[in-house]
Amino acid sequence: MVNNILIIGITGNGKSALASLLANNNEFKESGGGISKTDRFQVSKEPFEWKGKQYRLVDNIGFGDTGNISEEEIFLEIGEGIHAAKEGINQILFVFKGRFGPEQVEAFKKFKTFISESGITKFTTLVRTKFEEFRDPKKCEEDRQSLLSEDNKDLREIIDSCNGIIYINNPPIPEIDEDEADSDDEKEINEITRKKEVSRKIVLDHLAEKCQEPYKFGK
């Protein structure tokens, strides 16, 4: 059985970069700004395996796209992406960077309202990207508690109802001219590569544990 993973989030928060990291290839277009490079939902061409389980990724247009895409079109594409996974969705990854602010809360609420599924949060994991101390469990828990302590009822409800928060750091590998590269450049690339490898393992280990029977929309 293939586990279908739906990846959503606000444009520029690392959604497609996470898809590329998990798939371990560059088939997903990445955006560093406010305009999404994902103009349609995108399904990974081939499933990949982790700990004996098969996974397929469904990447989507980002919320809050500042290009010429309406909110209605964004949700239409998300709906198409969901229905493309005919077996159902096993887990949703809601990607965000920095604090889980009002923009993320609003996007999450709109997504939940759009699909009209009260139980979907139990199949949703929050993924915080660009968290420098992601390898320190104590720092990750301190951040989670900090989010829960914020005076924001909607945010607390989202965190409590979801399948947890996981922390990663998935920076891009800089393009360096091989003729001009030095030992410091090599060290930087090696460190970034290690961060990406550990981040990939964190997410996939979480999916291996949390992915059970698929969520059947509309059932």
Side-chain angles (χ1 to χ4, degrees):
M1 182 186 75
V2 176
N3 294 279
N4 293 306
I5 310 301
L6 179 68
I7 303 180
I8 60 176
I10 293 174
T11 296
N13 275 226
K15 175 179 57 62
S16 295
L18 176 61
S20 292
L21 178 71
L22 297 181
N24 202 25
N25 59 40
N26 295 314
E27 67 176 288
F28 295 94
K29 300 175 183 178
E30 299 176 18
S31 171
I35 299 177
S36 175
K37 288 188 178 180
T38 309
D39 54 7
R40 288 208 72 225
F41 75 89
Q42 186 176 354
V43 181
S44 50
K45 295 177 181 177
E46 297 290 339
F48 62 91
E49 184 174 324
W50 182 263
K51 291 189 173 180
K53 290 185 176 182
Q54 294 284 322
Y55 296 93
R56 181 189 295 117
L57 304 174
V58 182
D59 187 23
N60 275 282
I61 299 176
F63 299 113
D65 190 290
T66 57
N68 296 318
I69 303 174
S70 69
E71 186 173 277
E72 182 180 357
E73 290 174 302
I74 291 172
F75 279 112
L76 178 61
E77 283 300 318
I78 290 175
E80 291 288 338
I82 289 171
H83 290 296
K86 295 181 175 60
E87 307 90 342
I89 297 293
N90 295 80
Q91 195 74 193
I92 296 172
L93 301 180
F94 186 97
V95 183
F96 70 103
K97 66 179 181 181
R99 305 299 292 172
F100 200 99
E103 188 180 15
Q104 282 83 5
V105 169
E106 187 65 20
F108 191 97
K109 289 170 64 178
K110 285 183 177 179
F111 170 72
K112 186 177 175 182
T113 300
F114 167 71
I115 60 173
S116 302
E117 301 278 353
S118 59
I120 195 59
T121 55
K122 295 178 182 178
F123 284 71
T124 303
T125 298
L126 306 177
V127 182
R128 179 170 181 179
T129 64
K130 296 189 177 181
F131 191 73
E132 289 292 340
E133 297 167 308
F134 74 106
R135 285 175 281 200
D136 186 336
K138 183 178 178 181
K139 294 294 184 182
C140 294
E141 180 57 24
E142 286 176 355
D143 184 81
R144 180 180 177 277
Q145 292 301 325
S146 175
L147 290 172
L148 285 169
S149 67
E150 291 188 13
D151 187 21
N152 187 322
K153 180 182 177 182
D154 289 331
L155 174 57
R156 290 196 301 273
E157 287 181 353
I158 289 170
I159 294 172
D160 285 338
S161 65
C162 282
N163 220 340
I165 307 176
I166 53 179
Y167 293 83
I168 64 171
N169 192 7
N170 182 29
I173 295 178
E175 295 184 7
I176 298 174
D177 190 324
E178 292 184 4
D179 295 331
E180 298 179 2
D182 57 23
S183 58
D184 288 337
D185 293 327
E186 185 176 348
K187 287 179 181 178
E188 179 186 7
I189 291 175
N190 287 339
E191 174 59 19
I192 289 174
T193 300
R194 282 193 293 270
K195 288 180 180 179
K196 293 171 81 70
E197 290 172 348
V198 174
S199 294
R200 183 173 190 262
K201 183 178 186 301
I202 287 172
V203 179
L204 291 178
D205 282 350
H206 177 83
L207 292 176
E209 177 185 352
K210 298 296 183 180
C211 284
Q212 304 297 329
E213 291 299 314
Y215 188 94
K216 298 291 187 179
F217 288 86
K219 299 291 185 181

